[in-house]
Amino acid sequence: MIRDQETLNILLDSLSRFVRERLIPQESVVAETDEIPASLVSEMKELGLFGLSIPEEYGGMGLTMEEEVLATFEVTKASPAFRSLFATNNGIGAQGIVLDGNDEQKQKYLPRLASGEIIGSFCLTEPDSGSDAGALRTTAIRDGDHYVINGTKRYITNGPEAGIYTLMARTAPDVKGPAGVSAIIVERDTPGLSVGKIDKKMGQKGAHTADIIFENCRVPVTNLLAGREGLGFKTAMKVLDKGRINIAAASVGAAERMLEEALKYACERVQFGKPIAEFQLIQAMLADSKAEIYAARSMVLDAARRRDQGLDVGTEASCAKMFASEMCGRVADRAVQIFGGAGYLAEYGIERFYRDVRLFRIYEGTTQIQQLVIARNMIREYTK
Ligand code: COS
């Protein structure tokens, strides 16, 4: 749902300018240094990028899902690492509080997340539980007014930067599977919480992940989300429904950027006496990419509009995430192919995108998990 087209256009224009004038020129620096310059982080804060989806009453922009994906299409025309820094505050690192937090928790944390004063992270994955998220082992055992937390979380995006973590932990260790899991807010400076070394990744340099380790970490019971124990897995799944639409949107933005670069190169690069764009085999790659991006963009917008209508979008979010992230991988591959030898060289930047977007098919649920969710929902619908 778009509330006011004119206001939205102003936002989208300013994001587009920010991407073009400030982010794209810094891409290679970020990739080399593995850091986003502090001046850019300040500009992101000024633009309100950390609070796009946080309600206005808590200092955010309160964008609808449709408005948010349109903003994501713009910002993901720059390296995915830039988006990664503010994406958890709009997505998995804040939505647990937005969706299932009480007034006090919202008042306490959302304004600081919206301004970018603190970063929010989402702690679900563990060394032995990734796709099978309901099998997680981290425990949060009640002791008076506190939970005592023990366990290790893995691949935590923005883990090193975060000020708060939405942690999924087992409050009822005797209850196996998702039903024994609760969601709890943990502040960074809680004694017993430590951050592992920053992971060395295939791509997305500048965006950091690490282990988050909890050793007898005491957290007040007032930090429990959703009002009672045992609802944490559902909180996580609801958060991921929204997150998956956003990863799909990010896949579209990145694919559009790669196709723009490939088209430009194909029009400039001359072989056999003419620009390679005039050869039909190159045209096929350009055309397939254009059509697939259009399909993914339409799916993302439809899923977003449905969510704005208050509909259950579990299936549509998974369809969009699966299709758009796989599409983005194909576009990345074709873009490298169109660039030819230059596509394999770091200085042209396209190989960096190729590595960066590989993650879209993995995080917030692999393609195989999206297939499983879609098919399960279809069967449930048919048999009910
Ligand atoms: N919204 C609300 N509730 C949901 C939900 C959703 N989207 N999806 C599942 N639930 C509920 C179910 O209704 C069920 O509740 P009841 O027991 O009351 O019926 C409960 O959660 C457990 O669901 P389910 O039985 O489907 O759990 P499974 O253990 O079979 O796991 C998958 C389901 C595999 C889909 C889940 O573990 C998953 O998404 N894994 C991938 C995790 C992931 O994306 N990790 C990425 C890391 S985070 S960046």
Side-chain angles (χ1 to χ4, degrees):
M1 181 187 28
I2 294 173
R3 295 162 303 166
D4 177 26
Q5 189 68 54
E6 217 172 301
T7 312
L8 181 66
N9 287 346
I10 293 169
L11 172 69
L12 298 179
D13 283 350
S14 66
L15 294 181
S16 169
R17 200 170 335 112
F18 182 58
V19 163
R20 232 180 17 255
E21 293 174 7
R22 305 290 299 138
L23 299 186
I24 291 179
Q26 294 290 320
E27 283 177 341
S28 54
V29 174
V30 169
E32 270 161 38
T33 59
D34 197 17
E35 279 301 335
I36 298 177
S39 58
L40 282 185
V41 178
S42 302
E43 289 177 55
M44 288 175 184
K45 289 179 186 171
E46 278 162 31
L47 276 167
L49 286 174
F50 288 87
L52 294 172
S53 70
I54 292 178
E56 281 168 303
E57 59 189 302
Y58 301 108
M61 279 189 209
L63 297 188
T64 64
M65 192 76 227
E66 184 177 2
E67 292 166 345
E68 191 183 345
V69 297
L70 288 164
T72 303
F73 290 155
E74 290 304 328
V75 294
T76 49
K77 293 211 175 103
S79 280
F82 293 117
R83 171 191 172 268
S84 187
L85 185 64
F86 54 82
T88 53
N89 281 29
N90 293 299
I92 56 178
Q95 286 298 315
I97 303 174
V98 172
L99 297 173
D100 282 340
N102 58 34
D103 284 348
E104 207 177 304
Q105 292 163 341
K106 288 180 183 175
Q107 292 288 356
K108 186 167 178 192
Y109 297 111
L110 292 182
R112 287 195 281 152
L113 287 165
S115 67
E117 181 192 329
I118 55 167
I119 300 284
S121 252
F122 182 73
C123 291
L124 179 65
T125 300
E126 298 183 357
D128 294 319
S129 103
S131 290
D132 187 6
L136 64 86
R137 287 203 209 143
T138 295
T139 52
I141 305 300
R142 181 124 188 205
D143 177 26
D145 291 342
H146 287 78
Y147 288 111
V148 181
I149 300 169
N150 280 288
T152 296
K153 294 290 176 176
R154 183 141 291 175
Y155 313 136
I156 303 307
T157 301
N158 289 336
E161 286 79 15
I164 59 163
Y165 302 88
T166 301
L167 170 78
M168 267 51 68
R170 206 163 276 291
T171 40
D174 43 329
V175 179
K176 298 281 167 248
V181 174
S182 300
I184 301 165
I185 307 163
V186 185
E187 297 187 7
R188 165 65 174 265
D189 56 8
T190 311
L193 187 155
S194 57
V195 178
K197 64 176 177 29
I198 292 177
D199 299 320
K200 286 190 179 158
K201 308 191 302 310
M202 174 193 279
Q204 297 212 13
K205 296 273 161 49
H208 303 145
T209 64
D211 280 4
I212 306 298
I213 303 135
F214 302 88
E215 289 168 305
N216 292 322
C217 205
R218 292 179 72 84
V219 175
V221 290
T222 48
N223 283 19
L224 177 72
L225 289 171
R228 68 180 167 87
E229 293 178 3
L231 296 178
F233 187 81
K234 288 185 186 175
T235 299
M237 291 299 118
K238 287 186 285 183
V239 166
L240 285 171
D241 280 347
K242 177 172 186 289
R244 287 166 182 170
I245 298 176
N246 254 324
I247 301 293
S251 303
V252 169
E256 284 177 343
R257 165 74 185 282
M258 289 185 286
L259 185 57
E260 273 168 30
E261 300 273 346
L263 175 64
K264 181 169 179 285
Y265 188 83
C267 290
E268 287 168 3
R269 171 77 172 164
V270 173
Q271 287 295 284
F272 304 102
K274 51 186 174 182
I276 60 170
E278 290 184 25
F279 292 107
Q280 290 181 344
L281 295 179
I282 298 290
Q283 290 176 355
M285 288 194 274
L286 293 172
D288 285 353
S289 300
K290 182 78 181 173
E292 289 180 29
I293 291 171
Y294 178 46
R297 194 183 169 96
S298 305
M299 286 173 83
V300 171
L301 286 167
D302 180 70
R305 288 180 191 128
R306 283 172 189 265
R307 189 174 185 278
D308 285 338
Q309 287 165 27
L311 300 172
D312 178 354
V313 290
T315 302
E316 288 75 14
S318 286
C319 286
K321 202 269 182 184
M322 175 176 79
F323 183 82
S325 62
E326 292 289 331
M327 171 283 291
C328 190
R330 289 191 294 274
V331 171
D333 192 67
R334 291 183 199 122
V336 170
Q337 198 67 15
I338 290 169
F339 270 76
Y344 205 68
L345 296 192
E347 65 182 280
Y348 288 84
I350 206 75
E351 64 82 36
R352 191 189 61 238
F353 259 93
Y354 178 86
R355 289 183 286 106
D356 287 350
V357 303
R358 187 63 182 82
L359 188 57
F360 293 154
R361 293 160 61 195
I362 299 171
Y363 67 175
E364 299 200 25
T366 60
T367 290
Q368 290 67 34
I369 286 297
Q370 310 311 327
Q371 289 174 317
L372 187 147
V373 171
I374 296 162
R376 269 192 190 182
N377 289 350
M378 289 167 67
I379 296 162
R380 191 174 306 132
E381 195 58 32
Y382 178 73
T383 51
K384 114 174 154 194

